[in-house]
């Protein structure tokens, strides 16, 4: 294990440290210092139990930020509401994560500030457990850990060794520098990749589009935007100038990314072309294929037994982008399919004249549109690469590796 955190490995990351109520909470003080040394901006939230071991004032002094201790603090809520705080975070780190906290997290509780933040965030979550070894080895705790891991939560430790109660076994909180190193490797692009897109401009589309039928109704789809946002974040970490054209989603803007919010396919097209010239276009948005011929001013009233909507094709933004390759080095599309994934994806690769298409099977449990994780395959002329199930943030990094590879091929 590295002796000290790689400096800058968490540069600019907004990290929300949630401190649980165990004796190891004292180590979380040192953790704040190490996280900041690695370049992270740290805000701290504490459970009630944590405040029995360490004072909020200590964390405030070390983080340089106000510390949140309760859901019911009206002054703190007025400054930054807990939902805003959950959105602010690029990553949540729970350390120490007690057996009780792991149980509540795995079951989706929201009965205090920390569990509510973890439930309300779309950011990746890391937990560093610490507890008595018998509690750690208990089947209930192990089942909770398995659930969290399956959900894409990163687990760091615990370590084997002497415990506070004079016993020995697995249950020690990992050392702060180990936690920082593990976070760095999960979150950051390896230093060898860090500047590889410097000087290049990347335009990414993400999320669904909403096509308005009337003032209260629209045609939409279940795209979460998570993949496109993760791809944009990965490109920015590699030094690219990134414009993210986002459909209607409530995700935080990745650091270093210029975001343009749009609603409809027509608005998305305008924003994408407005962002050009660029070097790379990644069309991760689930753009509506059809839009109402007219969006009426007044609410459509129910009259007959059936209603027929008159829809017209939207412009295929991706195909249009690929057709005007002037200056573009690489055009990448996505294909969401429910069957015959490879066949349809390769068809779109040819028909839209793309450099690469990334296909994933939607409509299956544990992956696809609304999930935090996914599995996918990238196809290009003469090759393909499988990406096995992983959190979308990790897939995005692996995909960006391939994009850089293909661009230089
Ligand atoms: N796309 C686009 N503009 C559209 C429709 C799709 O830019 N009007 C892009 C998406 O961003 C994605 C790719 O095309 O990168 C594939 O979208 P998908 O909906 O899966 O394929 P379609 O070409 O629309 O075909 P179908 O819906 O028949 O599967």
């Amino acid at each position: 294990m590295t002796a000290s955190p790689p400096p800058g490995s968490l540069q600019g990351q907004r990290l929300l440290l949630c401190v649980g109520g165990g004796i190891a909470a004292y180590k979380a003080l040192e953790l704040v210092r190490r996280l900041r040394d690695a370049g992270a901006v740290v805000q701290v939230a504490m459970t009630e139990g944590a405040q029995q071991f360490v004072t909020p004032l200590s964390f405030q002094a070390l983080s340089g930020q106000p510390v949140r201790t309760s859901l019911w603090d009206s002054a703190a809520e007025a400054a930054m509401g807990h939902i805003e705080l959950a959105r602010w975070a690029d990553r949540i780190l729970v350390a120490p994560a007690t057996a009780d906290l792991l149980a509540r997290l795995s079951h989706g509780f929201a009965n205090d500030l920390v569990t509510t933040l973890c439930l309300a965030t779309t950011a990746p979550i890391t937990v560093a457990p610490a507890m008595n070894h018998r509690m750690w080895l208990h089947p209930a705790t192990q089942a909770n850990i398995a659930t969290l891991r399956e959900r894409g939560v990163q687990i760091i430790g615990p370590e084997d060794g002497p415990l506070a109660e004079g016993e020995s076994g697995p249950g020690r909180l990992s050392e702060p520098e180990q936690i920082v190193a593990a976070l760095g490797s999960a979150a950051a692009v390896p230093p060898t990749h860090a500047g590889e897109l410097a000087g290049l401009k990347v335009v990414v589309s993400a999320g669904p589009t909403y096509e308005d039928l009337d003032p209260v109704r629209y045609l939409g789809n279940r795209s979460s935007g998570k993949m496109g946002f993760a791809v944009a974040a990965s490109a920015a970490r590699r030094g690219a100038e990134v414009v993210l054209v986002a459909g209607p989603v409530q995700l935080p803007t990745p650091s270093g990314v210029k975001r343009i919010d749009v609603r409809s396919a027509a608005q998305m097209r305008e924003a994408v072309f407005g962002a050009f010239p660029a070097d790379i276009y990644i069309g991760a948005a689930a753009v509506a294929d059809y839009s109402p011929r007219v969006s009426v001013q007044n609410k459509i009233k129910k009259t007959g037994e059936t209603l027929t909507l008159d829809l017209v094709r939207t412009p295929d933004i991706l195909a249009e982008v690929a057709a005007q390759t002037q200056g573009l080095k690489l055009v990448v599309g996505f294909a969401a399919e429910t069957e015959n994934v490879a066949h349809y994806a390769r068809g779109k690769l040819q028909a839209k004249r793309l450099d690469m298409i990334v296909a994933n099977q939607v409509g299956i449990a544990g992956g696809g549109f609304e999930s935090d994780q996914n599995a996918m395959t990238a196809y290009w002329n003469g090759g393909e690469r499988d990406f096995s199930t992983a959190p979308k943030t990790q897939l995005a990094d692996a995909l960006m590796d391939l994009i850089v590879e293909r661009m230089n091929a």
Side-chain angles (χ1 to χ4, degrees):
M1 210 74 234
T2 40
S4 58
S9 61
L10 298 176
Q11 196 58 48
Q13 267 224 12
R14 292 175 297 205
L15 214 134
L16 177 59
L17 172 64
C18 294
V19 184
I23 179 62
Y26 82 92
K27 280 196 194 171
L29 292 170
E30 171 69 7
L31 184 56
V32 173
R33 206 176 61 77
R34 299 276 185 162
L35 290 167
R36 293 189 70 190
D37 285 349
V41 181
V42 182
Q43 288 212 56
V44 177
M46 302 174 76
T47 63
E48 282 223 19
Q51 295 164 61
Q52 301 296 320
F53 293 93
V54 197
T55 67
L57 198 61
S58 307
F59 281 111
Q60 186 176 310
L62 286 165
S63 66
Q65 308 273 353
V67 172
R68 295 293 304 264
T69 54
S70 164
L71 259 180
W72 315 116
D73 180 339
S74 48
E77 279 296 303
M80 190 193 255
H82 61 277
I83 298 291
E84 243 178 296
L85 184 57
R87 276 201 208 138
W88 170 88
D90 288 326
R91 176 174 290 270
I92 291 187
L93 167 62
V94 184
T98 59
D100 173 69
L101 200 41
L102 292 174
R104 290 189 290 132
L105 292 175
S106 88
H107 287 88
F109 277 39
N111 57 349
D112 68 357
L113 175 67
V114 163
T115 48
T116 303
L117 290 167
C118 288
L119 205 58
T121 194
T122 53
I125 298 180
T126 299
V127 300
M131 66 198 72
N132 170 274
H133 63 299
R134 273 186 278 274
M135 291 169 82
W136 170 252
L137 294 172
H138 195 286
T141 305
Q142 289 303 307
N144 291 331
I145 280 288
T147 303
L148 292 170
R149 186 172 279 128
E150 213 177 283
R151 243 178 245 156
V153 171
Q154 183 192 15
I155 321 276
I156 303 175
E159 310 299 322
D160 210 326
L163 300 168
E165 314 87 316
E167 299 185 82
S168 188
R172 279 171 65 86
L173 182 70
S174 296
E175 289 306 313
E177 67 266 29
Q178 288 180 313
I179 296 175
V180 175
L183 279 178
S185 60
V189 169
T192 44
H193 293 275
E196 65 192 1
L197 291 179
L200 297 180
K201 183 167 176 183
V202 179
V203 178
V204 182
S205 73
T209 64
Y210 287 176
E211 311 301 318
D212 290 333
L213 286 161
D214 68 13
V216 293
R217 304 184 184 92
Y218 60 84
L219 293 173
N221 64 69
R222 292 162 68 172
S223 166
S224 66
K226 287 175 189 166
M227 192 64 206
F229 273 61
V231 165
S234 182
R237 287 199 295 270
R238 287 160 207 255
E241 176 191 349
V242 182
V243 178
L244 173 61
V245 180
V249 289
Q250 299 293 319
L251 296 174
T253 310
S255 41
V257 167
K258 181 182 172 201
R259 173 176 182 167
I260 303 172
D261 285 311
V262 298
R263 184 172 172 85
S264 65
Q267 288 170 356
M268 185 168 276
R269 180 184 176 279
E270 204 182 313
V272 164
F273 281 94
F276 285 161
D279 301 283
I280 301 174
Y281 177 72
I282 303 171
V287 188
D289 290 326
Y290 293 91
S291 181
R293 184 181 295 281
V294 283
S295 170
V296 295
Q297 296 280 316
N298 297 316
K299 189 180 163 203
I300 301 168
K301 303 301 284 181
K302 62 173 172 295
T303 47
E305 282 308 307
T306 59
L307 173 72
T308 305
L309 297 174
D310 191 11
L311 306 176
V312 290
R313 279 284 287 271
T314 56
D316 190 321
I317 304 168
L318 181 63
E320 269 188 55
V321 168
Q324 61 91 55
T325 50
Q326 233 184 7
L328 274 161
K329 295 183 174 65
L330 207 78
V331 178
V332 181
F334 275 71
E337 307 292 351
T338 53
E339 54 178 351
N340 297 333
V341 178
H343 174 72
Y344 285 128
R346 283 217 177 267
K348 285 175 191 174
L349 179 74
Q350 302 307 334
K352 301 195 190 192
R353 306 169 72 89
L354 309 176
D355 297 301
M356 191 198 295
I357 191 146
V358 185
N360 61 305
Q361 189 156 1
V362 291
I364 48 166
F369 267 14
E370 287 154 322
S371 173
D372 282 330
Q373 52 176 26
N374 210 359
M376 57 197 201
T377 308
Y379 302 90
W380 61 93
N381 273 331
E384 65 181 74
R385 184 174 299 175
D386 282 324
F387 299 92
S388 55
T389 304
K392 286 180 177 173
T393 46
Q394 269 176 39
L395 282 179
D397 272 334
L399 178 61
M400 281 311 299
D401 285 347
L402 177 60
I403 286 174
V404 173
E405 223 178 283
R406 294 305 310 152
M407 202 175 60
N408 299 326

